[in-house]
Amino acid sequence: MGLVRGLLIQGNSKVGEAINLWGLPAVTTCPGMTSVCQGACYALRSRFRFQTVKDRLAWNLEQTERDDFCGRMAKEIRHKGCLVLRVHSSGDFFNPEYAEKWLWIMKKVPKPRYYWYSRSWRIAEIAEVLEKMAALKQVRGWHGIDSETGTPQNVPKGIRTAYLQVDEDTPPEQADLVFRVRRLRKLPRPRIGLTVLPICPNESDK
Ligand code: SF4
């Protein structure tokens, strides 16, 4: 009998053991990436350099191309009783068809809270699907923005924006959250009430 390998991995004690993670290879699955996010991307560093991790993410990508991907993912989410699922601890929604698969899964198994940070809003065909996802009450979607992306013209209902700050610039007014590279973490908060997080491997890649 062949080894049945799960699709999801469990978060660690830092990111939260109640969180289940799904990841893909960074860069090659990131049609909306910028030089800014690539330069700060934790999914290109530390443990992500290990061959075992690279192999795992490549295997995940292969699974997305299989006809049984959606069914297997839905079954695993149910079986594990997932409460929170982060879609893409690395990588992104790489085309509309793949994003549609996740939309199907989120509708089919609405129990967990799903969340994602994505720069694929920059691709119009994918942005349409992200908007549909974010309209679901079980989904929390974040558009990743930075000085290169600019700010989206229209941010759909249910989606928030997370600004990646790599210079001492002023985050746009529209940003709901700021991720700062470590060397900037001592800068004062840009405005009252705005959440500012230092980037670390357990926080975000977007
Ligand atoms: S930060 Fe996100 S979008 Fe940018 S390269 Fe890394 S995984 Fe891809």
Side-chain angles (χ1 to χ4, degrees):
M1 199 168 82
L3 178 70
V4 180
R5 189 184 200 185
L7 295 166
L8 298 168
I9 60 169
Q10 193 178 354
N12 59 28
S13 57
K14 286 186 180 173
V15 74
E17 288 172 2
I19 298 178
N20 287 267
L21 307 171
W22 167 251
L24 295 175
V27 176
T28 54
T29 65
C30 304
M33 76 174 178
T34 62
S35 58
V36 175
C37 79
Q38 191 177 356
C41 180
Y42 84 84
L44 299 174
R45 299 191 173 88
S46 60
R47 70 180 182 85
F48 286 90
R49 290 179 187 265
F50 296 157
Q51 195 57 47
T52 49
V53 176
K54 288 181 181 175
D55 290 347
R56 169 80 197 196
L57 296 176
W59 182 83
N60 283 2
L61 182 58
E62 283 171 23
Q63 305 317 299
T64 68
E65 286 152 13
R66 291 176 51 132
D67 291 341
D68 63 358
F69 173 70
C70 291
R72 282 166 63 208
M73 182 63 83
K75 191 173 171 187
E76 185 169 328
I77 293 169
R78 274 201 205 96
H79 180 72
K80 287 186 169 167
C82 296
L83 297 177
V84 183
L85 201 167
R86 177 170 178 180
V87 185
H88 303 135
S89 48
S90 62
D92 210 335
F93 297 104
F94 56 85
N95 65 30
E97 293 75 27
Y98 168 66
E100 289 279 2
K101 289 183 181 183
W102 270 106
L103 178 61
W104 184 91
I105 294 163
M106 290 163 179
K107 287 180 176 171
K108 189 79 179 170
V109 196
K111 185 166 180 200
R113 183 187 302 177
Y114 299 85
Y115 73 102
W116 44 259
Y117 296 88
S118 176
R119 274 183 166 66
S120 298
W121 61 268
R122 302 178 75 209
I123 315 300
E125 298 79 17
I126 304 177
E128 285 174 22
V129 189
L130 299 183
E131 185 171 349
K132 289 181 197 167
M133 284 180 199
L136 303 172
K137 67 175 179 6
Q138 64 272 34
V139 178
R140 171 62 57 88
W142 294 84
H143 280 352
I145 61 175
D146 57 52
S147 56
E148 195 175 319
T149 64
T151 309
Q153 293 282 328
N154 298 304
V155 180
K157 192 164 177 269
I159 292 183
R160 297 186 187 186
T161 54
Y163 183 76
L164 173 61
Q165 186 177 19
V166 298
D167 292 308
E168 293 188 30
D169 56 349
T170 305
E173 275 299 310
Q174 293 91 335
D176 297 296
L177 175 69
V178 172
F179 289 117
R180 263 182 190 160
V181 291
R182 287 193 173 277
R183 68 188 161 76
L184 300 178
R185 66 183 159 180
K186 290 200 174 140
L187 283 181
R189 191 183 297 235
R191 61 177 192 267
I192 294 168
L194 180 65
T195 303
V196 179
L197 296 173
I199 290 181
C200 90
N202 302 303
E203 287 163 349
S204 181
D205 58 332
K206 301 292 192 289

